[in-house]
Amino acid sequence: MKVEIRDCMCVDWDVPIAVDDGLVLRADVFRPVREGRYPAILSYGPYGKGLAFQEGYKTAWEIMARDYPDAVSGTSNKYANWEVVDPEKWVRDGYACVRVDSRGAGRSPGFLCHNNARESRDLHLCIEWAAAQAWCSGKVGLNGISYYASNQWRAAATQPPHLAAICVWEGWSDNYRDGNRHGGIICSFRKNWQDMQVKTVQHGVGERGARSRVTGELVCGPETLSEEELARNREDMWSELLARELDGPYYRERSPDFSKISVPLLSAANWGGQGLHTRGNFEGYTRSASKQKWLEVHGGSHWAPFYTDYGVDLQKRFFDHFLKGADNGWDTQPRVQLQVRHVDRFVERRENEWPLARTQWTRFHLDPDGMRLSPSPVSADRSLGYDAMGEGLTFSTPPLARETEITGPSALKLFVSSSTADADIFAVLRVFDPNGNEVVFQGALDPHTPIGQGWLRASHRKLDPKLSLPYRPYHAHDEKQPLAPGEAVELDVEIWPTCIVVPRGHRIALTVRGRDYEYAGEAATLSNMKNPMRGCGPFVHDDPTDRPPKVFGGRVTLHFGAGRQAFLLLPIVPQK
């Protein structure tokens, strides 16, 4: 451990935190130079506390600096680190910032196993350690993006006595449904994520890894282990996920008990986070037992809004109130703050609940006559088929007669048969302009993201009646119900929450297909992502073990008629 005064901060490097099984975690603490007791903002995660944002995530940093200059202003950026607060922006306002390398990552030794009960216990103990330090006021808040957000749900459910508030910025909550298995279909993201973002900063990479730009110390040191030793020191996450198609104890251990979350919380979601975070932020907000809870929803890239003046000001108002007792008006803050998405801008709007109470839940019936999304039910019996690996079927409204806002979760009712014993449904909510060009957006990662997406494996169609809502079907994922080839079954597909004000003359469309959406234009890349991004970012479903072509490459048929009313349920929001 070394202590320095630099850039108007007192910095304690590599502080040891002993946890209850004898392991010593390592943390960096940034705090005001003036002696006193300050509330702590703490983060715990696997990305290497000493790895510069600019070095580990080069293209993400360059995009943020280009598109959000205020995100990198007012700071030297020397201490910038992926997805956690910039201490220079917080210490000057009377906070201590604590960055902990999670077990097995960066400079913390141990077995690297993500999101399990041991990790939640570690984070609980780190919170209590920080609260007991002489420089701490005894109040601790958790803040951070993604990994540093998702583990807040689980830590809060363990109810650390000194945890005063959490800010979950784009963080999934359900380990099964939010990212690993969409509708029962495995998502390849975790395989590539562990290869690209975790193995590279595992404790023991040592001399083969990076050095801190600030201290010169090894980010993953001080010891250097062989590749065989590193492999023995980490869970093979991808194999564990592949081996578990159904929900169960493995996923439940890595998901929170919402009924035990009572701490004040701010859940910040991204409309464009299809594939990992968006659903978890909404579910965490609506289902947590906390009486003092707020929801914020924005657009743009996954990382940048957190660091902008808008994001930092929002976070500080929240934490100033709950960690410092500031009378700053937060107690009158509306419970929901939306950045409402238009095709060319975002407009901030305050609401009081989620979903919005004035929502007009509207059925758009899938009509094979003209491939329409129609206000009227279909009477004649019809069927339409498509090759599962083809383009699928697209249904569309006529050009809209008036501006129409869609804000909230959506649901799709289908009647489906397959030529095989199963089928994967990929539902894509889309908008097209009067010239027939698709309207896409900068998503959390992919710059060409559609309006909304949902997924469901037909054999996973069983619903949980206690948790299902008309606008948000909730699937049990506790047993498989194979299809009899050619026999139609009823499916309810969850489409994640979204927001778009569709201009007059544009069309709303739905595509039903058997593979991932693909944007027609050029693919995009990020330095920390393995695959080129073609509309779904890294959240694709292309594993042949989970999706053998002989089962999921067949022919799928949609059925329509008086007894088979297929429809898209949309949250149409009237103007106030």
Side-chain angles (χ1 to χ4, degrees):
M1 174 176 156
K2 182 172 67 172
V3 182
E4 288 186 311
I5 303 296
R6 52 186 307 148
D7 296 307
C8 301
M9 299 183 293
C10 181
V11 188
D12 305 302
W13 301 108
D14 256 5
V15 181
I17 304 176
V19 293
D20 55 5
D21 65 351
L23 189 86
V24 176
L25 302 169
R26 293 288 173 175
D28 293 339
V29 179
F30 304 82
R31 51 193 174 87
V33 174
R34 183 178 178 180
E35 286 192 15
R37 294 169 63 83
Y38 302 96
I41 300 294
L42 188 143
S43 56
Y44 172 106
Y47 296 138
K49 62 183 175 60
L51 181 64
F53 191 144
Q54 302 91 319
E55 182 177 347
Y57 298 84
K58 183 176 184 294
T59 51
W61 177 267
E62 291 170 348
I63 292 169
M64 180 169 72
R66 180 194 70 201
D67 296 343
Y68 300 87
D70 61 323
V72 297
S73 300
T75 169
S76 71
N77 294 307
K78 293 178 189 175
Y79 311 95
N81 186 234
W82 178 244
E83 298 188 331
V84 296
V85 301
D86 182 341
E88 288 186 271
K89 291 189 175 185
W90 287 78
V91 170
R92 67 192 180 203
D93 284 335
Y95 285 95
C97 297
V98 182
R99 291 177 177 170
V100 186
D101 274 341
S102 59
R103 180 179 293 244
R107 294 181 67 83
S108 292
F111 185 76
L112 185 64
C113 184
H114 302 289
N115 312 135
N116 62 355
R118 179 65 255 180
E119 183 176 274
S120 296
R121 178 64 178 164
D122 284 349
L123 181 46
H124 178 116
L125 295 171
C126 288
I127 292 165
E128 293 306 296
W129 172 88
Q133 301 309 297
W135 43 259
C136 186
S137 67
K139 290 186 178 293
V140 179
L142 300 179
N143 196 14
I145 313 172
S146 191
Y147 198 105
Y148 300 99
S150 66
N151 59 19
Q152 295 180 40
W153 300 117
R154 297 187 300 280
T158 70
Q159 300 183 342
H162 292 91
L163 180 61
I166 61 175
C167 176
V168 185
W169 198 280
E170 298 189 38
W172 54 266
S173 55
D174 189 309
N175 192 270
Y176 186 95
R177 293 163 182 79
D178 293 349
N180 288 327
R181 285 191 170 271
H182 297 130
I185 311 165
I186 201 164
C187 177
S188 300
F189 169 70
R190 283 298 176 200
K191 177 182 179 181
N192 297 331
W193 171 78
Q194 192 171 43
D195 286 343
M196 298 289 286
Q197 293 181 242
V198 179
K199 291 179 182 178
T200 51
V201 287
Q202 183 180 352
H203 181 80
V205 169
E207 294 285 354
R208 295 192 299 276
R211 287 184 179 272
S212 166
R213 290 184 172 187
V214 180
T215 67
E217 298 286 347
L218 291 167
V219 169
C220 308
E223 57 186 336
T224 300
L225 304 179
S226 68
E227 291 296 339
E228 293 75 17
E229 289 173 303
L230 289 172
R232 286 195 298 270
N233 279 352
R234 65 175 179 258
E235 177 193 57
D236 184 346
M237 189 179 194
W238 184 244
S239 295
E240 297 293 339
L241 298 177
L242 270 179
R244 294 173 170 86
E245 181 179 343
L246 298 177
D247 199 357
Y250 179 89
Y251 298 105
R252 293 305 94 211
E253 178 184 342
R254 291 158 174 79
S255 304
D257 180 343
F258 290 117
S259 70
K260 294 182 178 178
I261 299 176
S262 58
V263 69
L265 70 88
L266 171 60
S267 179
N270 189 328
W271 300 121
Q274 301 162 21
L276 186 56
H277 295 303
T278 304
R279 181 186 188 277
N281 277 107
F282 286 102
E283 289 289 303
Y285 171 74
T286 56
R287 294 177 62 193
S288 291
S290 302
K291 300 300 183 185
Q292 296 175 296
K293 56 183 180 179
W294 288 264
L295 175 69
E296 185 275 343
V297 197
H298 53 270
S301 72
H302 170 51
W303 57 91
F306 179 81
Y307 297 100
T308 60
D309 292 344
Y310 167 82
V312 173
D313 289 348
L314 184 72
Q315 296 157 43
K316 284 183 179 176
R317 286 184 57 231
F318 172 71
F319 282 119
D320 283 354
H321 184 73
F322 287 107
L323 270 62
K324 294 182 176 181
D327 183 12
N328 60 3
W330 185 268
D331 54 333
T332 63
Q333 170 84 5
R335 290 305 175 102
V336 176
Q337 179 170 307
L338 306 179
Q339 297 294 330
V340 176
R341 182 166 58 182
H342 295 247
V343 296
D344 58 351
R345 68 194 188 281
F346 290 92
V347 177
E348 185 173 309
R349 192 172 73 210
R350 309 294 180 90
E351 301 284 354
N352 295 314
E353 71 288 312
W354 182 267
L356 306 185
R358 67 184 184 282
T359 302
Q360 297 173 351
W361 300 100
T362 306
R363 290 187 178 188
F364 291 78
H365 296 267
L366 278 61
D367 187 347
D369 184 10
M371 304 302 290
R372 295 178 296 169
L373 288 177
S374 169
S376 304
V378 174
S379 56
D381 291 343
R382 288 278 304 276
S383 62
L384 290 174
Y386 61 90
D387 292 329
M389 293 299 106
E391 294 302 312
L393 300 172
T394 298
F395 301 82
S396 173
T397 65
L400 298 178
R402 62 182 63 85
E403 182 180 86
T404 302
E405 179 182 335
I406 300 169
T407 297
S410 303
L412 174 63
K413 173 81 74 176
L414 294 175
F415 295 85
V416 172
S417 64
S418 172
S419 62
T420 71
D422 215 338
D424 284 344
I425 299 297
F426 293 75
V428 189
L429 184 60
R430 309 169 77 179
V431 166
F432 292 88
D433 72 14
N435 296 319
N437 299 312
E438 185 173 9
V439 177
V440 292
F441 294 92
Q442 170 64 60
L445 294 172
D446 199 306
H448 304 111
T449 301
I451 302 304
Q453 296 190 75
W455 310 262
L456 182 63
R457 178 158 288 175
S459 61
H460 285 239
R461 62 190 177 276
K462 177 183 174 183
L463 293 170
D464 182 328
K466 292 183 179 179
L467 291 175
S468 286
L469 298 165
Y471 53 79
R472 199 272 280 122
Y474 192 99
H475 296 89
H477 297 297
D478 60 359
E479 65 172 311
K480 293 188 70 172
Q481 299 177 335
L483 305 181
E487 182 177 324
V489 297
E490 182 176 351
L491 305 182
D492 293 280
V493 184
E494 174 187 7
I495 298 177
W496 287 16
T498 190
C499 174
I500 175 66
V501 177
V502 187
R504 179 177 179 272
H506 284 51
R507 294 180 294 119
I508 300 168
L510 172 79
T511 296
V512 181
R513 51 196 276 146
R515 60 186 176 92
D516 285 304
Y517 166 88
E518 287 191 8
Y519 173 67
E522 185 178 356
T525 58
L526 283 173
S527 59
N528 58 304
M529 297 296 165
K530 183 170 287 189
N531 56 298
M533 299 185 293
R534 297 184 171 88
C536 294
F539 308 111
V540 295
H541 308 79
D542 58 1
D543 184 82
T545 304
D546 184 67
R547 304 189 71 220
K550 66 180 181 180
V551 177
F552 296 99
R555 188 163 179 82
V556 179
T557 301
L558 304 185
H559 300 268
F560 313 88
R564 292 170 172 169
Q565 291 297 332
F567 62 85
L568 172 66
L569 183 70
L570 289 181
I572 304 300
V573 178
Q575 292 184 351
K576 283 190 175 181

